[in-house]
Amino acid sequence: MRTRGFKRRTSSLLTVTGLAIVLPLTITSADHGRLPTRGRTTATAPGHAAAPRIQSLRAVVRDRLPHDPRAFTQGLEFRGATLYESTGLVGRSSLRAGPPGKPPTRYVELPAPLFGEGITLSGTKLWQLTWHNGIAIERDPTTLAERRRVGYRGEGWGLCHQRVAGRNQLVMSDGTDRLTFRDPDTFAATGGVDVRRDGAPVAGLNELECTPDGLVYANVYATDTILRIDPRTGTVTAHIDAAGLLTASERRGAQHLNGIAAVPGTDGFLITGKLWPHMFRVTFAPG
């Protein structure tokens, strides 16, 4: 959730080496406050044709998996059969890895005041963003151990690694309509693109997933919408409706949809949200 003054007190079940322990949970977080704004205009590239018709798709559930309802999900990504997940909130941020739907086999916490955000893997590096801290953490993908910290300006929201057709870059969101490209080794900014849907800017770009076909999928903050984006032009090519995945009772204890990871070797995705009790393996179909 990204609203001011969010405070929720509940109890949750934590399983540790087979022991069930009920823990009180207090969450206090501004969680992104409000969306950043920018006084930026973008000119249409010379000779750029009119935007194609945007596909209307829906998320079709193929399977439902357990998910830690205490995880304030900010990023998901697969490498092989291992699912990596980054979670947020000051004092509760973490990075975890393991089989999807099962307890993580590796787990590290981020010390306060760091607020964990999006993650991605690039070769022998795992990058983890922080929200207002202006720090990207490079980690070992196997052990999750921290190697170094790199500073950046602005907010950190979503992150993915694009390696296709000669393009080898990180793609980063900051809650605006801007996607920033970064060097996967140094994390230095190398360019970017403004995202447009029917010519209009799309703010609230959040968790990102880069796919082998060169496209970027983005959760839109505080909605049940996922966008498919052509990062070469910033054009939105599909609008995906992911509403209705949780029951009404599950919704009462959950926050926003956030977290999308392409399932390797398939046309499916794994999606979840902040404090959701489930992850869903879905495909995107006309709807």
Side-chain angles (χ1 to χ4, degrees), residues 40 62 94 114 137 159-160 163 175-176 220 249 277:
R40 179 182 59 245
R62 305 300 183 186
S94 69
L114 298 182
I137 302 172
L159 191 67
C160 65
R163 189 165 190 172
T176 68
V220 179
S249 61

Side-chain angles (χ1 to χ4, degrees), residues 90-156:
V90 174
R92 298 198 59 87
S93 294
S94 69
L95 179 64
R96 51 190 76 183
K102 296 182 179 180
T105 56
R106 288 158 286 167
Y107 179 95
V108 294
E109 295 181 348
L110 277 71
L114 298 182
F115 189 119
E117 284 284 348
I119 54 171
T120 197
L121 292 122
S122 171
T124 60
K125 295 179 175 62
L126 187 154
W127 288 104
Q128 182 177 28
L129 297 177
T130 57
W131 174 34
H132 273 165
N133 310 104
I135 294 170
I137 302 172
E138 182 195 329
R139 297 184 179 275
D140 183 308
T142 302
T143 66
L144 307 186
E146 181 177 326
R147 289 174 174 163
R148 61 171 172 153
R149 299 183 181 187
V150 179
Y152 58 84
R153 300 184 64 178
E155 298 184 7

Side-chain angles (χ1 to χ4, degrees), residues 60-76:
V60 179
V61 176
R62 305 300 183 186
D63 195 11
R64 186 174 70 171
L65 302 173
H67 181 248
D68 180 0
R70 301 173 72 246
F72 204 77
T73 305
Q74 303 288 50
L76 287 182

Side-chain angles (χ1 to χ4, degrees), residues 12 16 21 25 42 57 68 76 95 105 110-111 123 134-135 140 146 156 168 181-182 190 197 248 254 265 270 276:
S12 56
V16 181
I21 306 171
L25 170 62
T42 303
L57 305 174
D68 180 0
L76 287 182
L95 179 64
T105 56
L110 277 71
I135 294 170
D140 183 308
E146 181 177 326
N168 180 21
F181 304 143
R182 294 185 176 275
T190 59
R197 177 170 49 193
L270 199 66
W276 280 29

Side-chain angles (χ1 to χ4, degrees), residues 3 24 28 54 95 109 116 161 179 215 223 230 241 252 260 262 268:
T3 55
T28 303
I54 298 174
L95 179 64
E109 295 181 348
H161 180 214
L179 294 178
L215 298 174
T223 76
D230 183 343
D241 181 3
R252 285 194 288 271
I260 177 170

